[in-house]
Amino acid sequence: LTGYYSLSRGLGTWLGPLLGGAAVTMLAGVFDATEGFQAIWGVCAAAVLLSLLPLRRLSAYADATSQ
């Protein structure tokens, strides 16, 4: 579990700013009032939703091994 935490934290630290910056650049014209910075919320939401997939698998594995 510690390895999973370290890997996910590393990927988030590496990909978060990269994807956030790309979203701001691509959506600057769509979100004029914030110059595109509002698009960062979409990147955050996607990261949260994607993190639920491995947690579901870990929960199923924990339930199977505890029985």
Side-chain angles (χ1 to χ4, degrees):
L1 200 57
T2 301
Y4 172 74
Y5 173 75
S6 298
L7 177 69
S8 65
R9 184 173 176 172
L11 284 175
T13 302
W14 181 64
L15 286 175
L18 183 67
L19 294 175
V24 168
T25 301
M26 288 189 299
L27 296 173
V30 177
F31 299 119
D32 289 332
T34 61
E35 298 177 5
F37 284 94
Q38 190 175 4
I40 293 174
W41 289 106
V43 174
C44 294
V48 168
L49 291 174
L50 284 174
S51 71
L52 295 176
L53 296 173
L55 287 178
R56 177 188 274 179
R57 181 178 283 177
L58 283 172
S59 177
Y61 177 75
D63 289 343
T65 57
S66 67
Q67 294 176 358

